[in-house]
């Protein structure tokens, strides 16, 4: 592994400091997360409509999703019985507290939470820990600016007298819903169809260093280490080394794992990444008003031309109003995860166009960690 050190999160030691990012709907489930954990990384299952394959999902989505949390974790553990496996849970999810509690009860090693500030995450985890007597599950907020890092760490300090077990810094080159406004993306040159040339990496590197300073101040206050990992646009060993040079303890990688044999996505979904050109990757506005990065396809063109009224509401996001939403994001993402790409939303990171072939998780992990 060369000079790359293991990522230590409390009593968990991740030999290869690579966290596989959570990708929903249905892209990072037990197959991918289990394979990454078995290969020495940290495998993450996305809870976003995680139960979409359950027979009662259309009529009882919450019930199906909460059940699937335990099912997916058990299957991932079958693949990696000694690995570290957790969940990505979006704060924007309706009934967010129930998802968190279900993950803790299922035995998640860690919960990584973004798409909003996870203000009450410690409270929900503590409630289940009080019931079970276990303090197993680690918690990690996702932040994108020094301001958001300062807000969440200050709130956790004041309300719960605790610090995160890990902090994830997600930059503007990430895929899916982004923690930046369109204006902020433009500020970093991350909203174009040629980010390889327009992205001002040095500017966001400064922000990463400022976030790490905020985290360090709470390390000093509590006398306890808070590891930091960075995410967004990390695709190669060179990218990993750059992030470590900024002071990160590890990286979170998502897009690179989509085109692996073990990824839960259907084959046509993976091929869409391989066939994508850089100009096919665009910033779009999701139904809940957040910028998102996706591959242009027939669905995205249809959605930009006019409203696609939802057939039903799956109770997925807090701020979604089905009477006015431009389209149902659950339907669009489930379609994509089911192989209906013409009617599906293909979220991706800025580097999706770099995919050239189907790899194995082991190959990706070896390259990123310097073992190969």
């Amino acid at each position: 592994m060369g000079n790359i050190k293991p990522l230590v999160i409390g009593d968990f030691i991740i030999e290869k400091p690579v966290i596989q990012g959570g990708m929903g709907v249905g892209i990072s489930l037990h197959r991918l997360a289990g394979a990454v954990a078995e290969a020495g990384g940290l495998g993450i299952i996305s809870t976003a409509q995680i139960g979409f394959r359950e027979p009662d999902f259309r009529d009882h989505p919450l019930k199906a999703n909460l059940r699937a949390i335990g099912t997916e974790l058990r299957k991932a553990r079958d693949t990696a019985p000694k690995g570290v496996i957790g969940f990505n849970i979006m704060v924007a999810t309706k009934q967010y507290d129930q998802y968190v509690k279900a993950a803790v009860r299922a035995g998640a090693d860690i919960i990584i939470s973004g798409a909003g500030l996870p203000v009450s995450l410690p409270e929900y985890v503590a409630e289940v820990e009080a019931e079970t007597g276990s303090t197993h599950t680690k918690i990690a907020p996702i932040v994108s600016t020094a301001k958001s890092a300062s807000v969440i760490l200050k709130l956790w300090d004041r309300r719960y007298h605790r610090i995160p077990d890990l902090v994830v810094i997600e930059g503007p080159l990430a895929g899916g819903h982004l923690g930046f406004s369109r204006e902020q993306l433009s500020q970093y040159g991350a909203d174009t169809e040629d980010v390889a040339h327009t992205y001002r990496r040095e500017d966001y590197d400064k922000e990463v260093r400022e976030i790490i300073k905020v985290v360090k101040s709470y390390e000093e206050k509590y006398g306890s280490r808070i590891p930091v990992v960075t995410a967004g646009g990390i695709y190669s060993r060179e990218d990993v080394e750059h992030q470590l040079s900024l002071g990160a303890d590890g990286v979170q990688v998502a897009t690179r794992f989509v085109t692996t044999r073990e990824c839960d996505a259907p084959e046509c979904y993976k091929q869409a990444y391989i066939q994508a050109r850089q100009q096919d990757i665009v910033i779009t506005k999701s139904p809940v008003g957040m910028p998102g990065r996706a591959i242009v396809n027939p669905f995205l063109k249809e959605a930009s031309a006019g409203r696609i009224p939802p057939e039903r509401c799956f109770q997925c996001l807090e701020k979604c109003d089905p009477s006015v939403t431009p389209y149902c994001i659950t339907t669009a993402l489930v379609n994509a995860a089911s192989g209906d790409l013409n009617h599906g939303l293909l979220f991706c990171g800025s580097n999706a166009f770099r995919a050239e072939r189907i790899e194995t998780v082991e190959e990706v992990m070896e390259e990123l960690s310097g073992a190969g």
Side-chain angles (χ1 to χ4, degrees), residues 67-86:
R67 182 193 316 125
I69 285 174
T71 303
E72 291 293 330
L73 182 58
R74 285 193 297 273
K75 290 180 177 179
R77 292 228 187 272
D78 287 343
T79 300
K82 296 182 180 179
V84 183
I85 303 167

Side-chain angles (χ1 to χ4, degrees), residues 222-359:
Y222 280 79
S224 182
R225 185 91 170 85
I226 309 173
V228 173
V229 302
T230 49
I234 300 168
Y235 200 85
S236 66
R237 165 67 187 227
E238 181 183 4
D239 296 331
V240 174
E241 290 178 342
H242 177 73
Q243 297 303 316
L244 297 181
S245 75
L246 300 177
D249 299 289
V251 295
Q252 179 175 284
V253 178
T255 291
R256 181 70 186 272
F257 285 110
V258 171
T259 50
T260 58
R261 189 179 303 161
E262 299 90 341
C263 180
D264 297 270
E267 186 64 25
C268 60
Y269 193 109
K270 301 174 187 182
Q271 290 301 322
Y273 274 47
I274 292 172
Q275 295 165 13
R277 302 165 300 170
Q278 184 172 354
Q279 59 265 35
D280 296 327
I281 299 171
V282 299
I283 300 296
T284 184
K285 186 177 181 180
S286 92
V288 289
M290 299 169 68
R293 182 171 277 112
I295 296 174
V296 171
N297 69 341
F299 169 79
L300 210 56
K301 292 177 181 177
E302 181 184 359
S304 64
R307 184 169 185 257
I308 306 172
E311 295 180 2
R312 64 172 61 212
C313 179
F314 291 94
Q315 301 293 311
C316 61
L317 298 175
E318 279 287 356
K319 295 183 179 180
C320 182
D321 180 351
S323 67
V324 298
T325 186
Y327 61 87
C328 174
I329 194 165
T330 284
T331 298
L333 292 173
V334 167
N335 284 345
S338 302
D340 183 3
L341 302 192
N342 286 336
H343 301 95
L345 177 61
L346 289 164
F347 272 151
C348 70
S350 62
N351 284 311
F353 73 96
R354 293 172 64 178
E356 297 178 346
R357 64 184 178 89
I358 301 296
E359 304 174 273

Side-chain angles (χ1 to χ4, degrees), residues 146-211:
K147 180 179 180 180
S148 62
S150 180
V151 168
I152 195 66
L153 269 68
K154 184 180 293 184
L155 278 169
W156 284 15
D157 175 34
R158 290 181 176 176
R159 289 188 183 181
Y160 310 110
H161 308 294
R162 70 156 298 167
I163 50 177
D165 299 294
L166 170 77
V167 171
V168 177
I169 303 173
E170 190 168 273
L173 298 185
H177 284 126
L178 303 172
F180 298 84
S181 66
R182 188 67 190 247
E183 292 71 26
Q184 287 173 316
L185 291 172
S186 179
Q187 172 189 338
Y188 293 114
D191 63 338
T192 74
E193 294 175 12
D194 187 20
V195 291
H197 294 100
T198 61
Y199 178 54
R200 291 185 284 279
R201 186 173 77 171
E202 298 80 7
D203 291 346
Y204 194 68
D205 284 352
K206 293 177 183 177
E207 191 70 28
V208 170
R209 292 189 180 99
E210 288 302 311
I211 295 171

